[in-house]
Amino acid sequence: MKVKAPESFTYRGGNRAVLLLHGFTGSTGDMKKLGKYLHDRDYTCHGPLYRGHGLPAEELVQTSPKQWWEDVENAYQYLKDEGYEEIAVIGISLGGVFSLKVGIELPVTGVVSMCAPTIGNDVDRLNNRMLSYAQAYKKFEGKDAEQVAAEMDKLKEEPMSSLQEALDMINDTADKLDLITSPTLVLQGSLDDPDYRNSASIIYNEVDTQHKSLIWYEKSGHIITLGREREQVYEDVYRFLNTLPW
C-alpha cells in the first residue's frame, strides 16, 4: 500500500506567527491539532516537515540533523518573508530542542519547549526509536511478516551517523541555554522517561529570563500534544502566548 506522506502546513490568521516543530521520527501530525487550536484563536501557524520524516526509515537515515535544522531555519525565514515580524516557536521532543536552538540563535517573541531532552548520551535509545518507527511504517504499508523481517535485518546494517549528530546537537544546545532571554514555557509529561523529566527542570533553571514557567501533566507521556491532556496543553500554550510582548 502506498502511504501518503505528511506535509508541511500553514494556517494563516493574524499578525502573530507561531512556528511549530515536530520531533525525531515524528511528523507535522504531532503539531497540527495544536496549530488548528491556535489558528482558531487568530494566530498564524506554520509547521515544517523535516527532510526524511514521514517517509520509510531507509530514506530518513539518509538525512541528517544539520538538514533538519536547515528546514527549521527555512521555515522561520518563510514566516519573515511573508511579513510576520513577531514569531514565537513551539517544539516537542527533538523539536523542543530546535525551539530552544531557535531561541538561542534567532530573534523570537517567546519559546515553548515540550518534552525536550538536554542529555544526549544514548545512541541506543535513538536507534531503537528509529527501528520501531521503521517496523511500524512497514506494517502500515501492508507488508507481510517475512518481508518486514528481511527489510529490518537490512536496515540494521545501515550506518546511522545521524543519531550521534543528533545527540551532539542536543548537548550543544543544552550548553547554551543561558543565552535564551525570551519568555520561555517548559511543558513536560510526568509519565515520560526520567531523562526527559530531568531535562525539563534543567531547561527551566538554565534559561536566562524571569518570564518563565514549568508545567507538568500528570497523566501524560512523551507526545503531550496528542495525549490524554492535550486540550490542557493547548490551553496552557495559548495562555502563555497571550502574555508575550507582541
Side-chain angles (χ1 to χ4, degrees):
M1 179 181 70
K2 180 71 173 178
V3 178
K4 186 180 185 301
E7 299 175 338
S8 299
F9 65 86
T10 303
Y11 303 139
R12 298 185 185 279
N15 293 329
R16 299 173 177 181
V18 180
L19 186 60
L20 295 160
L21 306 175
H22 67 79
F24 173 63
T25 71
S27 76
T28 47
D30 296 338
M31 304 300 283
K32 271 191 168 183
K33 288 184 177 180
L34 174 57
K36 289 178 179 177
Y37 180 96
L38 296 176
H39 175 249
D40 287 343
R41 288 152 182 82
D42 204 33
Y43 283 90
T44 290
C45 297
H46 179 58
L49 181 71
Y50 318 142
R51 271 168 278 186
H53 286 72
L55 299 172
E58 288 81 358
E59 295 184 51
L60 177 54
V61 299
Q62 299 302 317
T63 63
S64 70
K66 180 181 178 181
Q67 291 175 313
W68 311 336
W69 171 244
E70 287 174 354
D71 295 333
V72 172
E73 290 181 303
N74 290 337
Y76 175 93
Q77 190 59 47
Y78 168 80
L79 288 172
K80 285 289 188 181
D81 292 344
E82 290 293 303
Y84 297 98
E85 293 298 326
E86 298 173 313
I87 300 172
V89 59
I90 304 172
I92 192 162
S93 195
L94 184 62
V97 176
F98 285 150
S99 74
L100 296 167
K101 189 171 170 62
V102 169
I104 292 167
E105 299 188 15
L106 300 168
V108 286
T109 305
V111 176
V112 180
S113 169
M114 301 184 286
C115 304
T118 60
I119 304 164
N121 60 5
D122 196 344
V123 173
D124 288 342
R125 175 185 288 174
L126 290 184
N127 185 64
N128 290 338
R129 185 180 299 175
M130 173 75 82
L131 294 176
S132 295
Y133 167 78
Q135 188 164 40
Y137 193 99
K138 293 176 187 303
K139 289 180 179 179
F140 188 66
E141 288 180 296
K143 295 176 178 177
D144 62 37
E146 185 177 352
Q147 185 176 3
V148 169
E151 292 183 4
M152 289 298 297
D153 287 342
K154 185 177 180 180
L155 180 62
K156 291 173 184 177
E157 297 174 0
E158 289 282 332
M160 296 190 186
S161 59
S162 62
L163 301 185
Q164 185 57 53
E165 291 176 31
L167 296 183
D168 292 343
M169 184 175 288
I170 291 168
N171 289 326
D172 181 67
T173 302
D175 289 341
K176 298 175 180 176
L177 289 172
D178 62 332
L179 298 180
I180 297 176
T181 58
S182 301
T184 302
L185 175 63
V186 183
L187 306 181
Q188 180 60 51
S190 296
L191 304 181
D192 205 352
D193 289 340
D195 282 351
Y196 292 102
R197 299 200 304 268
N198 293 336
S199 293
S201 297
I202 291 171
I203 295 165
Y204 174 78
N205 289 327
E206 291 295 323
V207 295
D208 190 16
T209 175
Q210 295 301 310
H211 187 163
K212 59 183 178 180
S213 300
L214 170 57
I215 302 176
W216 294 86
Y217 299 93
E218 298 302 322
K219 300 175 183 177
S220 298
H222 191 55
I223 305 299
I224 58 176
T225 52
L226 300 178
R228 293 174 61 186
E229 296 168 287
R230 60 185 178 276
E231 292 294 334
Q232 186 62 53
V233 171
Y234 305 163
E235 184 178 325
D236 290 337
V237 170
Y238 175 62
R239 185 182 298 114
F240 170 75
L241 292 177
N242 282 345
T243 68
L244 298 181
W246 296 97

